[in-house]
Amino acid sequence: MGLHQHLSDELLERCAQEGVEVVRRPTGGSAVLHDTDLTYAVVAPSGNRGVLEAYRWVAGCLIEGLGRLGIDARVGGPGGTNPGAAGLDSQAACFAVTAGADLQVGTAKICGSAQVRRRGWFLQHGSIPLADNRQVTRRLVRHPGPNNSTCITKLRPGTTWEKLAACLVEGFESQWGTSAEFELDDMKRWARVGGD
């Protein structure tokens, strides 16, 4: 669940009954059922990047990685998948709506991300569903409305977690270079420029 998110007692009870552990993360956003997904985390100096610019900087790597699977993703817009998803527990599910930092394939959300910034650095992490867990999420959250998200195996059947992870690593390396290309002095310089 997101840092500032409030989940109802009923929702928490349903999670406990199904053996779903609820953990509060340091970033905002809504709840994600981590079950059949790939999660990523990036810690980087914010430099002169604002929040949306940093999201798009990371999104370029994710888009490149998904492209290696033949998946044409793009940055989504607010309310892109279900702008009418407002209500008590409907806001609990991350994949029920698309925010400006999320990725879509067509109109379907494929990646949800959240970010926190401290002392010139940011942590961004996110989730890419490998398999469809919308029914379980819908049962837990009791969100009756449409959920126009998608998953990797629906778009590219047979894709393994390892293949998806390898493609994402290649996407980051293609956009940012390998870790050997990052110099500590550069990171210190970028961190000094930030100052959030």
Side-chain angles (χ1 to χ4, degrees), residues 45-131:
S46 53
N48 290 323
R49 295 175 200 88
V51 174
L52 285 178
E53 187 179 1
Y55 271 123
R56 290 174 191 272
W57 188 47
V58 175
C61 301
L62 297 169
I63 290 168
E64 177 72 23
L66 291 171
R68 291 169 185 266
L69 287 172
I71 296 173
D72 184 21
R74 62 179 173 80
V75 176
T81 58
N82 184 10
L88 291 176
D89 281 345
S90 66
Q91 295 179 7
C94 171
F95 281 87
V97 296
T98 300
D102 298 327
L103 298 183
Q104 292 180 202
V105 176
T107 61
K109 183 171 179 173
I110 188 66
C111 178
S113 299
Q115 191 182 114
V116 65
R117 298 160 74 89
R118 299 281 187 275
R119 300 179 185 226
W121 290 77
F122 72 88
L123 159 67
Q124 180 175 319
H125 50 203
S127 171
I128 301 174
L130 187 64

Coordinates of all heavy atoms in Angstrom, one line a residue, residues 45-131:
P45 N 20.4 9.9 -8.5 CA 20.4 11.4 -8.1 C 19.3 12.1 -9.0 O 19.2 11.8 -10.1 CB 21.8 11.8 -8.5 CG 22.4 10.8 -9.3 CD 21.6 9.5 -9.1
S46 N 18.6 13.0 -8.3 CA 17.6 13.7 -9.1 C 18.1 14.8 -10.0 O 17.5 15.1 -11.0 CB 16.6 14.3 -8.1 OG 17.2 15.1 -7.1
G47 N 19.3 15.3 -9.7 CA 19.9 16.3 -10.5 C 19.0 17.5 -10.7 O 18.3 17.9 -9.7
N48 N 18.8 18.0 -11.9 CA 17.9 19.0 -12.1 C 16.5 18.6 -12.6 O 15.7 19.3 -13.0 CB 18.4 20.0 -13.2 CG 19.6 20.7 -12.8 OD1 19.7 21.2 -11.6 ND2 20.6 20.9 -13.6
R49 N 16.2 17.2 -12.4 CA 15.0 16.7 -12.9 C 13.9 16.9 -11.9 O 14.0 16.6 -10.7 CB 15.1 15.2 -13.1 CG 16.1 14.8 -14.2 CD 16.2 13.3 -14.3 NE 17.5 13.0 -15.0 CZ 18.6 12.9 -14.4 NH1 18.7 13.0 -13.1 NH2 19.7 12.6 -15.1
G50 N 12.7 17.4 -12.4 CA 11.5 17.4 -11.5 C 10.9 16.0 -11.4 O 11.5 15.1 -12.0
V51 N 9.9 15.9 -10.7 CA 9.3 14.6 -10.5 C 8.9 13.9 -11.8 O 9.2 12.8 -12.0 CB 8.0 14.7 -9.5 CG1 7.3 13.4 -9.4 CG2 8.5 15.2 -8.1
L52 N 8.1 14.6 -12.6 CA 7.6 14.0 -13.8 C 8.8 13.7 -14.8 O 8.8 12.7 -15.5 CB 6.6 14.9 -14.5 CG 5.2 14.9 -13.9 CD1 4.2 15.8 -14.6 CD2 4.6 13.5 -13.9
E53 N 9.8 14.6 -14.8 CA 10.9 14.4 -15.7 C 11.7 13.1 -15.2 O 12.1 12.4 -16.1 CB 11.9 15.6 -15.6 CG 13.0 15.5 -16.7 CD 13.9 16.7 -16.6 OE1 13.7 17.7 -15.8 OE2 14.8 16.7 -17.5
A54 N 11.8 12.9 -13.9 CA 12.5 11.7 -13.4 C 11.7 10.5 -13.8 O 12.2 9.5 -14.2 CB 12.7 11.8 -11.9
Y55 N 10.3 10.6 -13.6 CA 9.5 9.4 -14.0 C 9.7 9.1 -15.5 O 9.9 7.9 -15.9 CB 8.0 9.8 -13.9 CG 7.4 9.5 -12.5 CD1 6.8 10.5 -11.7 CD2 7.5 8.2 -12.0 CE1 6.3 10.2 -10.5 CE2 6.9 7.9 -10.7 CZ 6.3 8.9 -10.0 OH 5.8 8.6 -8.8
R56 N 9.7 10.1 -16.4 CA 9.9 9.9 -17.8 C 11.3 9.4 -18.1 O 11.5 8.7 -19.1 CB 9.5 11.1 -18.6 CG 8.0 11.4 -18.5 CD 7.6 12.7 -19.1 NE 6.2 13.0 -18.8 CZ 5.2 12.6 -19.5 NH1 5.3 11.8 -20.6 NH2 3.9 12.9 -19.1
W57 N 12.3 9.8 -17.3 CA 13.7 9.3 -17.5 C 13.7 7.8 -17.3 O 14.3 7.1 -18.1 CB 14.6 10.1 -16.5 CG 16.0 9.9 -16.7 CD1 16.8 10.0 -17.8 CD2 17.0 9.6 -15.6 NE1 18.1 9.8 -17.6 CE2 18.3 9.6 -16.2 CE3 16.8 9.5 -14.3 CZ2 19.4 9.3 -15.5 CZ3 18.0 9.3 -13.5 CH2 19.3 9.2 -14.1
V58 N 13.1 7.4 -16.2 CA 13.0 5.9 -16.0 C 12.1 5.2 -17.0 O 12.4 4.1 -17.5 CB 12.5 5.7 -14.5 CG1 12.4 4.2 -14.3 CG2 13.5 6.2 -13.5
A59 N 11.0 5.9 -17.3 CA 10.1 5.3 -18.3 C 10.7 5.0 -19.6 O 10.4 4.0 -20.2 CB 8.9 6.2 -18.5
G60 N 11.7 5.8 -20.0 CA 12.4 5.5 -21.3 C 13.1 4.2 -21.3 O 13.1 3.5 -22.3
C61 N 13.6 3.8 -20.1 CA 14.3 2.6 -20.0 C 13.3 1.4 -20.0 O 13.5 0.4 -20.6 CB 15.1 2.5 -18.7 SG 16.4 3.8 -18.6
L62 N 12.2 1.6 -19.3 CA 11.2 0.5 -19.2 C 10.5 0.3 -20.6 O 10.3 -0.8 -21.0 CB 10.1 0.9 -18.2 CG 10.5 1.1 -16.7 CD1 9.4 1.7 -15.9 CD2 10.9 -0.3 -16.2
I63 N 10.3 1.4 -21.3 CA 9.7 1.3 -22.6 C 10.7 0.6 -23.6 O 10.3 -0.3 -24.4 CB 9.4 2.7 -23.2 CG1 8.1 3.3 -22.4 CG2 9.1 2.7 -24.7 CD1 7.9 4.8 -22.6
E64 N 11.9 0.9 -23.5 CA 13.0 0.3 -24.3 C 13.0 -1.2 -24.0 O 13.1 -2.1 -24.9 CB 14.3 0.9 -24.0 CG 15.5 0.2 -24.8 CD 15.5 0.5 -26.3 OE1 14.9 1.5 -26.7 OE2 16.1 -0.3 -27.0
G65 N 13.0 -1.6 -22.7 CA 13.0 -3.0 -22.3 C 11.8 -3.8 -22.8 O 11.9 -4.9 -23.3
L66 N 10.6 -3.2 -22.6 CA 9.4 -3.8 -23.1 C 9.4 -3.9 -24.6 O 8.9 -4.9 -25.2 CB 8.1 -3.0 -22.6 CG 7.9 -3.1 -21.1 CD1 6.8 -2.1 -20.7 CD2 7.5 -4.5 -20.7
G67 N 10.0 -3.0 -25.3 CA 10.1 -3.0 -26.7 C 10.9 -4.2 -27.2 O 10.6 -4.7 -28.3
R68 N 11.8 -4.7 -26.4 CA 12.6 -5.8 -26.8 C 11.8 -7.1 -26.7 O 12.2 -8.1 -27.3 CB 13.8 -5.9 -25.8 CG 14.8 -4.8 -26.1 CD 15.9 -4.7 -25.1 NE 16.7 -3.6 -25.4 CZ 17.8 -3.6 -26.1 NH1 18.3 -4.7 -26.6 NH2 18.5 -2.5 -26.3
L69 N 10.6 -7.0 -26.1 CA 9.6 -8.1 -26.2 C 8.6 -7.9 -27.3 O 7.7 -8.7 -27.4 CB 8.9 -8.3 -24.8 CG 9.7 -8.8 -23.6 CD1 8.8 -8.7 -22.4 CD2 10.0 -10.3 -23.9
G70 N 8.8 -6.8 -28.0 CA 7.8 -6.5 -29.0 C 6.5 -5.8 -28.5 O 5.5 -5.8 -29.1
I71 N 6.6 -5.3 -27.3 CA 5.5 -4.6 -26.6 C 5.7 -3.1 -26.8 O 6.7 -2.5 -26.3 CB 5.4 -5.0 -25.2 CG1 5.1 -6.5 -25.1 CG2 4.3 -4.1 -24.5 CD1 5.1 -7.0 -23.6
D72 N 4.7 -2.4 -27.4 CA 4.8 -1.0 -27.7 C 4.1 -0.2 -26.6 O 2.9 0.0 -26.6 CB 4.2 -0.7 -29.0 CG 4.3 0.8 -29.4 OD1 5.2 1.5 -28.9 OD2 3.5 1.2 -30.2
A73 N 4.9 0.1 -25.5 CA 4.4 0.8 -24.4 C 4.6 2.3 -24.5 O 5.5 2.7 -25.2 CB 5.0 0.3 -23.1
R74 N 3.8 3.1 -23.8 CA 4.1 4.6 -23.8 C 3.6 5.1 -22.4 O 2.9 4.4 -21.7 CB 3.3 5.2 -24.9 CG 1.8 5.1 -24.8 CD 1.0 5.8 -25.9 NE -0.4 5.5 -25.9 CZ -1.3 6.0 -25.0 NH1 -0.9 7.0 -24.2 NH2 -2.5 5.7 -25.1
V75 N 4.0 6.3 -22.1 CA 3.6 6.9 -20.8 C 2.1 7.3 -20.9 O 1.7 7.8 -21.9 CB 4.4 8.2 -20.5 CG1 3.9 8.9 -19.3 CG2 5.9 7.8 -20.4
G76 N 1.4 6.9 -19.9 CA -0.1 7.1 -19.9 C -0.4 8.5 -19.4 O 0.4 9.3 -19.1
G77 N -1.7 8.7 -19.3 CA -2.2 10.0 -18.8 C -3.1 9.8 -17.6 O -3.6 8.7 -17.4
P78 N -3.4 10.8 -16.8 CA -4.3 10.7 -15.7 C -5.6 10.1 -16.1 O -6.2 10.5 -17.0 CB -4.4 12.1 -15.2 CG -3.3 12.8 -15.7 CD -3.0 12.2 -17.1
G79 N -6.1 9.1 -15.3 CA -7.4 8.5 -15.5 C -7.5 7.7 -16.8 O -8.6 7.4 -17.3
G80 N -6.3 7.4 -17.4 CA -6.4 6.8 -18.8 C -7.1 5.5 -18.9 O -7.7 5.2 -19.9
T81 N -7.1 4.6 -17.9 CA -7.7 3.3 -18.0 C -9.1 3.3 -17.4 O -10.0 2.6 -17.9 CB -6.9 2.2 -17.3 OG1 -6.8 2.6 -15.9 CG2 -5.6 2.0 -17.9
N82 N -9.4 4.1 -16.4 CA -10.7 4.1 -15.8 C -11.0 5.4 -15.0 O -10.9 5.4 -13.8 CB -10.9 2.8 -14.9 CG -12.3 2.8 -14.3 OD1 -13.2 3.5 -14.7 ND2 -12.5 1.9 -13.4
P83 N -11.2 6.4 -15.7 CA -11.4 7.7 -15.1 C -12.5 7.8 -14.1 O -12.5 8.6 -13.2 CB -11.6 8.7 -16.2 CG -12.0 7.9 -17.4 CD -11.4 6.5 -17.2
G84 N -13.5 6.8 -14.1 CA -14.6 6.8 -13.2 C -14.4 6.0 -12.0 O -15.3 5.8 -11.2
A85 N -13.1 5.5 -11.8 CA -12.9 4.6 -10.6 C -12.6 5.5 -9.4 O -11.5 5.6 -8.9 CB -11.6 3.8 -10.9
A86 N -13.7 6.0 -8.8 CA -13.6 6.7 -7.6 C -14.6 6.1 -6.6 O -15.7 5.6 -7.0 CB -14.0 8.2 -7.8
G87 N -14.2 6.0 -5.3 CA -15.0 5.4 -4.3 C -14.2 4.9 -3.2 O -13.0 5.1 -3.2
L88 N -14.8 4.3 -2.2 CA -14.1 3.9 -1.0 C -12.9 3.1 -1.2 O -11.8 3.4 -1.0 CB -15.1 3.3 0.0 CG -16.1 4.2 0.5 CD1 -17.1 3.4 1.4 CD2 -15.5 5.3 1.4
D89 N -13.1 1.8 -1.8 CA -12.0 0.9 -2.0 C -11.5 0.9 -3.4 O -10.6 0.3 -3.7 CB -12.4 -0.5 -1.5 CG -12.3 -0.6 0.0 OD1 -11.7 0.3 0.6 OD2 -12.8 -1.6 0.6
S90 N -12.2 1.6 -4.3 CA -11.8 1.5 -5.7 C -10.5 2.2 -5.9 O -9.7 1.8 -6.8 CB -12.9 2.2 -6.6 OG -12.9 3.6 -6.3
Q91 N -10.1 3.2 -5.0 CA -8.8 3.8 -5.2 C -7.7 3.0 -4.6 O -6.5 3.3 -4.7 CB -8.9 5.2 -4.5 CG -9.8 6.1 -5.2 CD -9.9 7.5 -4.5 OE1 -9.1 7.7 -3.6 NE2 -10.8 8.3 -4.9
A92 N -8.1 1.8 -3.9 CA -7.0 1.0 -3.3 C -6.2 0.3 -4.4 O -5.1 -0.1 -4.1 CB -7.7 0.0 -2.4
A93 N -6.7 0.0 -5.5 CA -6.1 -0.8 -6.5 C -5.3 0.0 -7.5 O -5.9 0.8 -8.3 CB -7.1 -1.7 -7.3
C94 N -4.0 -0.1 -7.5 CA -3.1 0.7 -8.4 C -3.5 0.5 -9.9 O -3.5 1.4 -10.6 CB -1.7 0.2 -8.2 SG -0.5 0.9 -9.4
F95 N -3.8 -0.7 -10.3 CA -4.0 -1.0 -11.7 C -5.4 -0.7 -12.2 O -5.8 -0.9 -13.3 CB -3.6 -2.4 -12.1 CG -2.1 -2.5 -12.2 CD1 -1.3 -2.8 -11.1 CD2 -1.5 -2.3 -13.4 CE1 0.1 -2.9 -11.2 CE2 -0.1 -2.4 -13.5 CZ 0.7 -2.7 -12.4
A96 N -6.3 -0.1 -11.3 CA -7.6 0.3 -11.7 C -7.6 1.6 -12.5 O -8.5 1.9 -13.3 CB -8.5 0.4 -10.5
V97 N -6.6 2.4 -12.3 CA -6.5 3.7 -13.0 C -5.0 3.9 -13.4 O -4.1 3.3 -12.9 CB -6.9 4.9 -12.1 CG1 -8.4 4.8 -11.7 CG2 -6.1 5.0 -10.8
T98 N -4.9 4.8 -14.4 CA -3.6 5.2 -14.9 C -3.2 6.6 -14.5 O -4.1 7.5 -14.7 CB -3.5 5.1 -16.4 OG1 -3.8 3.8 -16.8 CG2 -2.1 5.5 -17.0
A99 N -2.1 6.8 -13.9 CA -1.6 8.2 -13.6 C -0.5 8.6 -14.6 O -0.1 7.8 -15.5 CB -1.0 8.2 -12.2
G100 N -0.1 9.8 -14.6 CA 0.9 10.3 -15.5 C 2.2 9.7 -15.5 O 3.0 9.9 -16.5
A101 N 2.5 8.9 -14.5 CA 3.8 8.2 -14.5 C 3.8 6.8 -14.9 O 4.8 6.1 -15.0 CB 4.4 8.3 -13.1
D102 N 2.6 6.3 -15.2 CA 2.4 4.9 -15.5 C 2.6 4.6 -17.0 O 2.5 5.5 -17.8 CB 1.0 4.4 -15.1 CG 0.8 4.5 -13.6 OD1 1.8 4.4 -12.8 OD2 -0.3 4.8 -13.2
L103 N 2.8 3.3 -17.4 CA 2.9 2.9 -18.8 C 1.6 2.2 -19.2 O 1.0 1.5 -18.5 CB 4.1 2.0 -19.0 CG 5.5 2.6 -18.6 CD1 6.6 1.6 -18.9 CD2 5.7 3.9 -19.4
Q104 N 1.3 2.4 -20.5 CA 0.1 1.8 -21.1 C 0.6 1.1 -22.4 O 1.5 1.6 -23.1 CB -0.9 2.9 -21.5 CG -1.6 3.5 -20.3 CD -2.6 4.5 -20.7 OE1 -3.0 5.4 -19.9 NE2 -3.2 4.4 -21.9
V105 N -0.2 0.1 -22.8 CA -0.1 -0.5 -24.1 C -1.5 -0.3 -24.7 O -2.5 -0.8 -24.2 CB 0.2 -2.0 -24.0 CG1 0.2 -2.6 -25.4 CG2 1.6 -2.2 -23.4
G106 N -1.6 0.6 -25.7 CA -2.9 1.0 -26.1 C -3.6 1.8 -25.0 O -3.0 2.8 -24.5
T107 N -4.7 1.4 -24.5 CA -5.4 2.1 -23.4 C -5.2 1.3 -22.1 O -5.8 1.7 -21.1 CB -6.9 2.3 -23.7 OG1 -7.5 1.1 -23.9 CG2 -7.0 3.2 -24.9
A108 N -4.5 0.2 -22.1 CA -4.4 -0.7 -21.0 C -3.1 -0.5 -20.2 O -2.0 -0.4 -20.8 CB -4.5 -2.2 -21.4
K109 N -3.2 -0.3 -18.9 CA -2.1 -0.1 -18.0 C -1.3 -1.4 -18.0 O -1.8 -2.4 -17.7 CB -2.6 0.3 -16.7 CG -1.5 0.7 -15.7 CD -2.1 1.3 -14.4 CE -1.0 1.6 -13.4 NZ -1.6 2.4 -12.3
I110 N 0.1 -1.2 -18.1 CA 1.0 -2.3 -18.0 C 2.0 -2.2 -16.9 O 2.6 -3.1 -16.5 CB 1.7 -2.6 -19.4 CG1 2.5 -3.9 -19.4 CG2 2.6 -1.4 -19.8 CD1 1.7 -5.1 -19.3
C111 N 2.2 -0.9 -16.4 CA 3.2 -0.7 -15.4 C 2.8 0.4 -14.5 O 2.5 1.5 -15.0 CB 4.6 -0.4 -16.0 SG 5.9 0.0 -14.8
G112 N 2.8 0.2 -13.2 CA 2.5 1.3 -12.2 C 3.8 1.6 -11.5 O 4.5 0.7 -11.1
S113 N 4.0 2.9 -11.2 CA 5.2 3.3 -10.6 C 4.9 4.4 -9.5 O 3.9 5.1 -9.6 CB 6.2 3.9 -11.6 OG 6.6 2.9 -12.6
A114 N 5.8 4.5 -8.5 CA 5.7 5.5 -7.5 C 7.1 5.9 -7.1 O 8.1 5.2 -7.3 CB 5.0 4.9 -6.3
Q115 N 7.2 7.1 -6.6 CA 8.5 7.8 -6.3 C 8.5 8.5 -5.0 O 7.5 9.1 -4.6 CB 8.7 8.7 -7.5 CG 10.1 9.3 -7.6 CD 10.3 10.3 -8.7 OE1 10.5 11.4 -8.5 NE2 10.2 9.7 -10.0
V116 N 9.7 8.6 -4.4 CA 9.9 9.4 -3.2 C 11.2 10.1 -3.4 O 12.2 9.5 -4.0 CB 9.8 8.6 -1.9 CG1 11.0 7.6 -1.8 CG2 9.9 9.5 -0.7
R117 N 11.4 11.3 -2.9 CA 12.6 12.1 -3.2 C 13.1 12.6 -1.8 O 12.4 13.1 -1.0 CB 12.3 13.3 -4.1 CG 11.9 12.8 -5.5 CD 11.1 13.9 -6.2 NE 12.0 14.9 -6.7 CZ 12.6 14.9 -7.9 NH1 12.4 13.8 -8.7 NH2 13.3 15.9 -8.3
R118 N 14.5 12.5 -1.6 CA 15.1 12.9 -0.4 C 16.5 13.4 -0.7 O 17.3 12.7 -1.4 CB 15.2 11.8 0.6 CG 13.9 11.2 1.1 CD 13.3 12.1 2.1 NE 12.1 11.5 2.7 CZ 10.9 11.5 2.2 NH1 10.7 12.1 1.1 NH2 9.9 10.9 2.8
R119 N 16.9 14.5 -0.2 CA 18.3 15.0 -0.3 C 19.0 14.9 -1.6 O 20.1 14.5 -1.7 CB 19.1 14.3 0.8 CG 18.6 14.6 2.2 CD 19.4 13.9 3.2 NE 18.7 14.1 4.5 CZ 19.4 14.4 5.6 NH1 20.6 14.6 5.6 NH2 18.7 14.5 6.7
G120 N 18.2 15.2 -2.7 CA 18.8 15.2 -4.0 C 18.8 13.9 -4.7 O 19.4 13.7 -5.8
W121 N 18.2 12.9 -4.1 CA 18.1 11.5 -4.7 C 16.6 11.2 -4.8 O 15.8 11.7 -4.1 CB 18.8 10.5 -3.8 CG 20.3 10.7 -3.9 CD1 21.0 11.6 -3.2 CD2 21.2 9.9 -4.6 NE1 22.3 11.5 -3.5 CE2 22.5 10.4 -4.3 CE3 21.1 8.8 -5.4 CZ2 23.6 9.9 -4.9 CZ3 22.2 8.3 -6.0 CH2 23.5 8.8 -5.7
F122 N 16.3 10.2 -5.7 CA 14.9 9.7 -5.7 C 15.0 8.1 -5.7 O 15.9 7.5 -6.2 CB 14.1 10.2 -6.9 CG 14.5 9.7 -8.2 CD1 14.0 8.6 -8.8 CD2 15.4 10.4 -9.0 CE1 14.3 8.1 -10.0 CE2 15.8 10.0 -10.3 CZ 15.2 8.8 -10.8
L123 N 13.9 7.6 -5.1 CA 13.7 6.1 -5.2 C 12.4 6.0 -6.0 O 11.4 6.7 -5.7 CB 13.4 5.5 -3.8 CG 12.7 4.2 -3.8 CD1 13.5 3.1 -4.5 CD2 12.3 3.8 -2.4
Q124 N 12.5 5.2 -7.1 CA 11.3 4.9 -7.9 C 11.2 3.4 -8.0 O 12.2 2.8 -8.3 CB 11.3 5.6 -9.3 CG 10.1 5.3 -10.1 CD 10.0 6.0 -11.4 OE1 10.4 7.1 -11.5 NE2 9.6 5.3 -12.4
H125 N 10.0 2.9 -7.7 CA 9.8 1.5 -7.9 C 8.4 1.3 -8.5 O 7.6 2.2 -8.6 CB 10.0 0.7 -6.6 CG 9.2 1.2 -5.5 ND1 9.6 0.9 -4.2 CD2 8.1 2.0 -5.4 CE1 8.7 1.5 -3.4 NE2 7.8 2.1 -4.1
G126 N 8.3 0.1 -9.1 CA 7.0 -0.1 -9.8 C 6.8 -1.6 -10.0 O 7.6 -2.5 -9.6
S127 N 5.7 -1.9 -10.6 CA 5.2 -3.3 -10.8 C 4.8 -3.5 -12.3 O 4.1 -2.6 -12.8 CB 4.1 -3.6 -9.9 OG 3.5 -4.8 -10.2
I128 N 5.2 -4.6 -12.8 CA 4.7 -5.0 -14.2 C 4.2 -6.4 -14.0 O 4.9 -7.3 -13.7 CB 5.9 -5.0 -15.2 CG1 6.5 -3.6 -15.3 CG2 5.4 -5.5 -16.6 CD1 7.8 -3.6 -16.2
P129 N 2.8 -6.5 -14.2 CA 2.2 -7.9 -14.1 C 2.7 -8.8 -15.1 O 2.6 -8.5 -16.3 CB 0.7 -7.6 -14.2 CG 0.6 -6.1 -14.0 CD 1.8 -5.5 -14.5
L130 N 3.2 -10.0 -14.7 CA 3.6 -11.0 -15.7 C 2.3 -11.8 -16.1 O 2.0 -12.0 -17.2 CB 4.6 -11.9 -15.1 CG 5.2 -12.9 -16.0 CD1 6.0 -12.3 -17.2 CD2 6.1 -13.9 -15.3
A131 N 1.5 -12.2 -15.1 CA 0.3 -12.9 -15.3 C -0.9 -12.0 -14.7 O -0.7 -11.1 -14.0 CB 0.3 -14.2 -14.6

